Amino acid sequence: MNGLLLALAFVMGVVVPLQAAINHQLKLLIGGSPVLAALVSFAVGLVTLTIAALLSGQKWVGLTALPRAEWWMLSGGVLGALFVFGTTLLAPRLGVAVMLSLIIAGQVCASLLFDRYGWLGMPLKEINSWRLGGALLVVAGVLLVNLGDRIGK
């Protein structure tokens, strides 16, 4: 695999707790609403992506195909909004490490199923013993992050 892509994926992981912490501070500033903090975050994201699209010469004519999109093809925005809202709500309550360990475990488990069954057109990849072992190690990590301070007491 391309090392740059792997590094980008890692940096994306580093950004998630940063985003949760930033959105929590924004929530506190605007009166404690995680929904409004997520709204502001998405509005800034919309402006950012619009500028990126303009600067990169994207062909806006492609957007004319949107009326033919199935409803579920647009649900990524809903899921993204729920993710940002959820992290803004949960990070200060659970702690960033607990929240993200559970998110990562959920992502790994769901990802294995997407790979195995090729859901939504994803390329097929078998669940072999190495991948399953890795997923189990992630789950073990979640247990240690969540319960490790209680072990031995």
Side-chain angles (χ1 to χ4, degrees):
M1 284 187 202
N2 185 331
L4 185 59
L5 294 178
L6 295 175
L8 178 60
F10 180 80
V11 169
M12 290 170 64
V14 169
V15 168
V16 174
L18 176 63
Q19 180 189 34
I22 288 170
N23 285 339
H24 172 63
Q25 290 302 311
L26 179 61
K27 174 188 80 172
L28 296 176
L29 176 74
I30 63 173
S33 171
V35 173
L36 291 178
L39 175 67
V40 170
S41 180
F42 266 76
V44 172
L46 174 65
V47 170
T48 302
L49 289 173
T50 301
I51 292 169
L54 289 169
L55 292 176
S56 64
Q58 298 298 306
K59 296 183 179 162
W60 293 79
V61 70
L63 295 177
T64 60
L66 280 178
R68 296 190 312 274
E70 299 287 335
W71 68 268
W72 55 267
M73 292 176 179
L74 303 176
S75 66
V78 174
L79 297 173
L82 289 173
F83 182 82
V84 171
F85 163 74
T87 58
T88 305
L89 177 73
L90 296 174
R93 288 183 167 92
L94 298 177
V96 178
V98 167
M99 177 192 72
L100 284 179
S101 69
L102 291 165
I103 288 171
I104 292 166
Q107 289 173 333
V108 168
C109 292
S111 297
L112 286 174
L113 294 173
F114 270 83
D115 283 353
R116 169 65 178 93
Y117 295 107
W119 292 339
L120 297 177
M122 297 307 295
L124 290 173
K125 286 189 96 163
E126 289 300 316
I127 299 176
N128 60 32
S129 58
W130 290 106
R131 297 181 88 210
L132 187 58
L136 292 173
L137 286 172
V138 169
V139 171
V142 168
L143 292 173
L144 288 173
V145 167
N146 286 282
L147 305 173
D149 57 344
R150 298 182 203 162
I151 297 173
K153 286 188 176 185

